[in-house]
Amino acid sequence: MEREVIFCPKWLSALWFLLFAALCLFHAATAEITCRSCQPGNKWRAQELLLRFDTSGPATGRKGEVFGAGRTGAAIGESRRLRCAAGSAECARDPAEYSDLKRNTDKLRASDKNGKKVSDVSRHRKRARRSSGDGKAQRDEPEEGTGSAAGRRVTRSELRWSGEERRAAGPRQEELKLNSSTFALAGDSAHNQAMVHWSGQNSSVILMLTKLFDFNLNSVTESSLWRSTDYGATYQKLNDKVGAKTILSYLYVSPNNKRKVMLLFCPEVENSLLISSDEGATYQKYRLNFYILSLLFHPEQEDWILAYSHEPKLYSSVEFGRRWQLVHERVAPNRFYWSKMGLDKEPGLIHLETSISEGQALYVTCKLQNCTDANKGKPFPGYIDPNSLVVQDEYVFVQVSTAGRTIYYVSAKRDVFTPMKLPKYTLPKDLQVISTDENRVVAAVQEWNQNETYNLYVSDTSGVFYTLALENVVSSMGLEGNVMVDLYEVAGIKGMFLANKKTDNQVKTHITYNRGRDWRLLEAPSKDLRGNSIHCVLPYCSLHLHLHVSANPYTSGNIASRDSAPGIIVASGSIGAELTTSNVSVFITSDAGNTWRQIFDEEYAVLYLDQGGALVAIRHTPLPIRHLWLSFDEGRQWNKYSFTNSPLFVDGVLGEPGEETLIMTIFGHVSHRSEWQLVKIDFRSIFNRRCTEADYQTWHLHNQGEPCLMGIKRIYRKLKPTSRCVMGKTYLVTMTSGPCDCTEADFECDYGFERRTDGKCTPAFWFHPSSVSRSCTTGMTFLNSTGYRKVVSNNCTAGVSSEYTARRQQCPVQAPRGLHLVTSEGTLTATLGANVTFLVFLEEGDGARTSITLDFGDGHALTYSNVSSIEDGIKHIYKAVGIYRVTATGENSLGSETATLYLHVTCQLEYIHLSAPFVAVRNKEVNLTAVLWPSQVGTVTYIWWIGNNTEPVITLEGSVACTFSREGVSSVTVQVSAGNTILQDRKTIAVHEYFRSHLLAFSSNLDEHNPDVAEWRLDVSRVIRSSLIQATGVREDQLLVTVLPGLPTAAEFFLLPDKQLTEGKLEKSAAHLDQLSEVLLSALNQNLVQFTLRPGVQVTVYAAHLSAAPLVDTSENHSGSAMLMLLSVVVVGLAVFVIYKFKRKIPGLNVYAQMQNEKEQEMMSPANPTEATPSSQQDLVHSLEILDTEFNSRPIGCMKPHVHVKFSTELPTYIV
């Protein structure tokens, strides 16, 4: 058994606490007790201690995390408060976790006069420890007032021994003493943490790892390894054996072979581990290439381990950590499980959840040593919600969220997944799997109208159909951020639970003996501790219990019971109208909750000794102590014993593994500078003989006199209260049982039925009792519900069984009803070219005789002879983007049913390009077009921001028309929304009254030197413009030149009128532009425009033979053709890409490009600054580029395979 003990010895403050390991428990455990405030400089301050415990069972966690296989607390035979983290692995694993149990020593359970029960307060605070990527344990600073003990603030006058302890310190001949010995861990006074492992199984070996944890550095800086071979009487320091300078951080033990021990090095110093196969006598060192955050041991194979790293990756070892192999990457934390014998096909199978993307995960199964894609299984057909996989006993749970609602799925015995059927209008906000014992699921559901409470639902054996068991059960936030439900399963008696229910804002404790079928309040004791009568009348007054238990079964909590001591329950609580945190006392029952007795009027930790044959109690107090209390008659009388000569600040208690505990070790310190004091107590000396048959008696289990519980009469053999003897390790709980006749109390309401006030089960308003499952086939029989079903594990016979049991009837022939069609992902979208899995469900009808036809809406359809043949789903691949009407039709001889789904098949939008003219005519309509790549991506929304408009124009079409009323430069932005993707492009448009344009061509040698990149076109445009100005004398501010992308090389020049010269008149502007055009064309036709590209390469510029019409014709008679060209500019822009890329040398053909401020621009100022044009015209003199997207030569994305188009990736640049 392992435990970590961390203390803060500061006797001047005298502020300490107790957290005790339950002495009589089963296998070994690991415990951590941490003092967060044990740091230099605050010894005068009240201390707060943090206790962390971890069993070394199937799950051994690190840094406050739990990783384990098997069942939660009570499922492994240890009574506890049932809990389940929201979507965490606690639903499926041993409670073998480090649990933060904080106690502020300013507020300990000293007298209960003024204090609150801190544990109730702290349970509503999240105090999780997080694991950093470098493997360090990240711990929060302690919160004042939190802890698992209640009490009041201790004044300075109380920081001294009590009168009772002072008297006990002196010599007293009559004092009862226990056989004990003390050992000090020399040299470890600075260490504030310890992990302890007691092998058990008749072994006397104890291993202890002490550490100095630096809370400022958040890491371990020193460590010592100790080993005892005499039950803890003496210890040997092993630092020399493992390396004098070695820093160890964690200790693990195989749950199947306690002789095998693993020690991890501090990863900040060295990433290695030590392995021992002889209970820590010798070690071998092995290096690691990854950081271990947590380990999960196989429940049966002692050498099989899963290790989780921070990448996050999952590794496996079949040699107890000597060699490791990568299993899978992107594994969700806490979401990996070992296979279970008898259910899974292979013992080495691993169930795990892998992250696909944010909001999406997959449930896969892997082989231990061969987790390849070919060997992976996908039991659930589709994506699941992250952190939702739970594998627990024979059940597997996942959840899928779609359209704002969550669907919970369950698989029983590794069969197909089926939606969990809660009452129709439950509408859960949250669902926690509490228990899967006895082939039944207990689920806590927070419904739409609940905030702090949960409703308990119980299922049938399939885990599919649920009925209400108890409403408004109190919940709180657990230590690791998990949901804690106040439901406690009593150990040793099947079907018995305690729960705290909130009614009219009052919390009351209820008890059930038949798995939640019936509940009642607890009857308060008739007398108090002093023998005074207690007047408490049901239902106005009753006994209420705190149901908080330690997260580790080796520590004491507010309530405890043991399998080896059936009927005995010890708990703290209060008497009155509701549960309170003040005036808390300790109560005990010896008859399974029928009657209760008060044993202490303040809070004590009560532990089981010798399999429940004796009880040990230690008072919660902030003072040093040297006494404990023992009872041999089920708490009726208590005797005080001293366990040490000098009072000791107690930090924790470690008991021998197993419920037969007779040896325990108390960890403590004498002062804040003292070393660890380990007091070994041997209780064997107080027993003078072993128990014989005469020491036992029979006890009949009953519920207020009713002996038939869960359909049988149970008679237990238990120790007589007057016997003082040792039962020993060979003692076994024996029970005899006899059958009972069935009564109405042995049946609960079936799914779809609700219990009325008279106790009868009637159909809910939404339920149709005549409905028959689709699995019912004509010619076969089915069980027709009577509205009742026998409580799971109830063993009654005869009686009213035939009246309440479902009756077998012939399956009726009926038309299909309730046909459902969904995708496996639960979405209404799909990606082009990817498999889409459709799931078809039929609620009613003869599934074997009902054919299913699925029309995919794209001209393809499939027909199946029956529903069972498509349980795994129907896969289909769509080859074109669009919205498809998918129809499923179920049909048999009596009728048909149709379900329809509209599926949006989309493709990822990768790029958009806004096509717009770079020069527009004032008050003339301009077309703006958004070009998408790929061209077909599905349903698209276009948002247009034009000019200075504050409101956008939203369209479903990729083109809009607009006009600009003022000259100058205007910007246009388009945003395209496709699925979850939004892309945008922006252009600027120069608005003018008049201009002329003409295409340019070049001698063929230019193509040989054209790399078709923007920078090259920019430089060549500048050269061409300078050559034109030099040859013609045109002013710089009246000429724009751009080289167009693509081959053959082409360019375009634009002429702007001089407004001062033309006075803004149309006739003068037209004449002026005609004159300039003639000058330029004359120079071009005479081959006067030339430039040198490089030495030996002379390029001649020509006027292209074909020319697009001017965007504005200065002639009044041709205004119509100008408008026509303006509207056709988009067509020309798109066509030029294909023409240039296919190298069809058509001279004169051009495309009007766009001005774009956010692209690389260049503006060349006029030669004479005094001759600068107005600002609107200066804005026109910008470098302009048109983005030309380049496709690969192979089919890409959503392009059809036969389309091979290549575009340039650059923009044309305009030079003035």
Side-chain angles (χ1 to χ4, degrees), residues 410-430:
V410 62
S411 167
K413 297 180 179 179
R414 308 302 189 257
D415 203 350
V416 296
F417 280 88
T418 305
M420 298 168 63
K421 289 188 175 293
L422 296 164
K424 187 172 182 179
Y425 295 105
T426 299
L427 305 179
K429 293 192 298 185
D430 185 32

Side-chain angles (χ1 to χ4, degrees), residues 1 16 118 177 292 440 511 604 606 644 676 688 719 728 756 876 924 985 1020 1038 1138 1145 1154 1176-1177 1216:
M1 181 168 67
W16 62 281
V118 183
K177 294 185 177 181
I292 294 178
R440 174 180 89 154
I511 189 171
Y604 276 71
V606 180
T644 182
W676 290 76
N688 53 18
L719 193 67
R756 300 185 308 194
H876 185 67
K924 296 294 183 179
D985 192 14
V1020 172
Q1038 292 183 271
V1138 178
K1145 300 183 179 181
Q1154 295 78 354
S1176 61
Q1177 188 157 334
V1216 295

